[in-house]
Amino acid sequence: MFSATIKTRIISFQWTSTLQDGTDLYSCVGDSIKLPWDYSVQDGEVVEDIKWYFKPGNDSRRVIATVVEGNFLPLRTSFSDRIHPVLQAGLTLMFVTGQDSGEFSVSVSIVQGTSFAVYNQTALLVVAEDPLVYGAESLSARQERVAVYDNKTGQLHVQLSCGGYVIIGHPPLSVEWTFPSGEKHLTSIHINGFFIINLPNPVEGGSYTVSPVVPVTSGLVFTPKRKRTQEFIGECGRELDSNKVLFEARLSRDQSVYRDRVILDRVITNEGNAYNSSTGEFTAPFNGTYFFFMTVYNQGSTSSTIASVCDEVTCFCQVMSLSSTYYGACQAVRHLSTEDTVWLRSDRQGTLLSSFTSFSGFSVHPDIDLEV
């Protein structure tokens, strides 16, 4: 949209710049900002006058530059030695200061025969005297260790985060994630200095890249402590492992147990070869999140824990017996490091029936190590 003062409208005049009328621009102190205003006219149309204006806050608008006999002439203001013409009606402002926040505008007067019109464009410049974003020495992207449940999808999702900074004002920021397939996803959700994205299921294997997206600006956006930087681009340090891990094991016969590890020796499936039927142990092949499921049918133990799923640290999934003959099941999600082991353990004396006792699990997702 643009405004015009018209005696007789000159229809062929058009603004051709990519900078839209009323655009908000953001800059840091000391940077340069470009106002790339441009237009097109037809033969017979004469540009009679061009003027540039600055309006600070609620103060009145004042002229800062004009064109005299085809020559650019900056007026005696604080801008006089810092503004230069660009394109046909644009300006470049050098060495931006905190006092430069305000509305910049241009007026182009066109004459065609007896027709006369004035066309205007404006832009609002916001200057941050302090860095817009503070960050640590090393900004980073990472995969969160715990999967996140999404109420909309009803599923658990791998969550990636990117940041390590504090947003202290303008501009409004967002980041763009590029998936291994090349598909791009924009997110502006940030929590405690980290932009967050939940990966859709199934998780795509490959390299993930993240980069900032900000409003039109030539100014600095991300400023780590003690060091300024002009860009912030991160890429996965390791590809997401697309190999699946899936196992299910059962007893080949009924087994009398008493506070001991249960070795389920009949393997139904063992994709990834992470389950050992000789020891009854599942060994994590990579850092990641895993799902485990256990079913037991016990005879001879009452009112106590009869079986648990355990690792080297603790037992995190138990089945309680409420009668002398009891069938139960439990499930758990657990984060494991490479070479961590998980197994099924009996907690009381009794007999586990082979037809109803099982131990199974699969990988939900591996960790993604991201470094910027």
Side-chain angles (χ1 to χ4, degrees), residues 281-299:
E281 291 183 345
F282 169 84
T283 302
F286 46 74
N287 297 344
T289 302
Y290 297 84
F291 178 90
F292 297 99
F293 184 69
M294 169 186 65
T295 63
V296 292
Y297 195 110
N298 177 76
Q299 290 181 333

Side-chain angles (χ1 to χ4, degrees), residues 228-253:
R228 301 184 79 191
T229 178
Q230 290 297 110
E231 62 181 0
F232 171 72
I233 300 176
E235 184 172 352
C236 288
R238 177 170 68 85
E239 287 194 355
L240 179 65
D241 193 337
S242 59
N243 293 331
K244 294 180 180 179
V245 174
L246 173 66
F247 79 96
E248 180 184 359
R250 295 177 177 270
L251 291 173
S252 60
R253 64 183 184 278

Side-chain angles (χ1 to χ4, degrees), residues 31 44 138 179 191 211 214 259 267 285 294 344 363:
D31 288 335
S138 176
F179 285 23
I191 302 173
S211 58
V214 296
R259 295 186 180 179
V267 177
M294 169 186 65
L344 182 63
S363 59

Side-chain angles (χ1 to χ4, degrees), residues 244-283:
K244 294 180 180 179
V245 174
L246 173 66
F247 79 96
E248 180 184 359
R250 295 177 177 270
L251 291 173
S252 60
R253 64 183 184 278
D254 296 350
Q255 188 175 126
S256 296
V257 293
Y258 181 66
R259 295 186 180 179
D260 198 4
R261 182 174 302 186
V262 180
I263 299 176
L264 296 95
D265 56 344
R266 186 165 67 94
V267 177
I268 307 302
T269 185
N270 193 16
E271 188 173 347
N273 295 316
Y275 179 76
N276 188 327
S277 60
S278 298
T279 63
E281 291 183 345
F282 169 84
T283 302

Side-chain angles (χ1 to χ4, degrees), residues 22-312:
T23 296
D24 290 345
L25 302 173
Y26 300 90
S27 178
C28 291
V29 169
D31 288 335
S32 299
I33 194 75
K34 185 177 181 181
L35 306 171
W37 290 312
D38 203 4
Y39 60 84
S40 65
V41 294
Q42 292 185 353
D43 293 342
E45 298 173 353
V46 178
V47 178
E48 185 177 68
D49 187 32
I50 302 177
K51 285 186 172 65
W52 292 267
Y53 299 87
F54 175 66
K55 182 178 181 295
N58 295 322
D59 292 345
S60 59
R61 187 178 73 161
R62 62 177 184 268
V63 179
I64 59 173
T66 187
V67 170
V68 177
E69 296 182 351
N71 296 312
F72 178 78
L73 177 65
L75 302 186
R76 189 178 295 276
T77 66
S78 61
F79 300 102
S80 59
D81 59 348
R82 297 188 294 126
I83 53 176
H84 305 281
V86 61
L87 302 176
Q88 297 187 93
L91 284 180
T92 295
L93 172 61
M94 309 288 291
F95 308 110
V96 171
T97 72
Q99 288 69 46
D100 296 339
S101 290
E103 182 185 87
F104 288 81
S105 60
V106 62
S107 294
V108 180
S109 301
I110 305 293
V111 175
Q112 183 183 36
T114 59
S115 300
F116 172 78
V118 179
Y119 295 88
N120 306 297
Q121 290 270 280
T122 63
L124 180 65
L125 177 62
V126 178
V127 180
E129 297 191 53
D130 294 318
L132 303 179
V133 174
Y134 283 102
E137 283 294 323
S138 176
L139 300 177
S140 64
R142 68 189 184 198
Q143 177 207 351
E144 299 301 317
R145 294 188 62 178
V146 179
V148 176
Y149 181 79
D150 190 327
N151 290 324
K152 293 182 179 179
T153 64
Q155 297 177 336
L156 289 170
H157 291 268
V158 177
Q159 187 176 80
L160 303 184
S161 63
C162 163
Y165 47 81
V166 177
I167 299 174
I168 61 173
H170 289 291
L173 300 173
S174 59
V175 295
E176 184 180 70
W177 295 88
T178 302
F179 285 23
S181 64
E183 185 178 356
K184 298 182 183 298
H185 293 263
L186 194 69
T187 178
S188 59
I189 301 172
H190 55 86
I191 302 173
N192 296 326
F194 285 85
F195 285 94
I196 301 296
I197 186 171
N198 294 339
L199 299 184
N201 293 323
V203 176
E204 182 181 353
S207 181
Y208 290 75
T209 301
V210 59
S211 58
V213 177
V214 296
V216 179
T217 175
S218 64
L220 179 68
V221 176
F222 292 94
T223 305
K225 296 175 182 176
R226 301 189 299 277
K227 183 180 179 181
R228 301 184 79 191
T229 178
Q230 290 297 110
E231 62 181 0
F232 171 72
I233 300 176
E235 184 172 352
C236 288
R238 177 170 68 85
E239 287 194 355
L240 179 65
D241 193 337
S242 59
N243 293 331
K244 294 180 180 179
V245 174
L246 173 66
F247 79 96
E248 180 184 359
R250 295 177 177 270
L251 291 173
S252 60
R253 64 183 184 278
D254 296 350
Q255 188 175 126
S256 296
V257 293
Y258 181 66
R259 295 186 180 179
D260 198 4
R261 182 174 302 186
V262 180
I263 299 176
L264 296 95
D265 56 344
R266 186 165 67 94
V267 177
I268 307 302
T269 185
N270 193 16
E271 188 173 347
N273 295 316
Y275 179 76
N276 188 327
S277 60
S278 298
T279 63
E281 291 183 345
F282 169 84
T283 302
F286 46 74
N287 297 344
T289 302
Y290 297 84
F291 178 90
F292 297 99
F293 184 69
M294 169 186 65
T295 63
V296 292
Y297 195 110
N298 177 76
Q299 290 181 333
S301 180
T302 61
S303 302
S304 64
T305 303
I306 59 174
S308 304
V309 177
C310 307
D311 59 17
E312 294 95 333

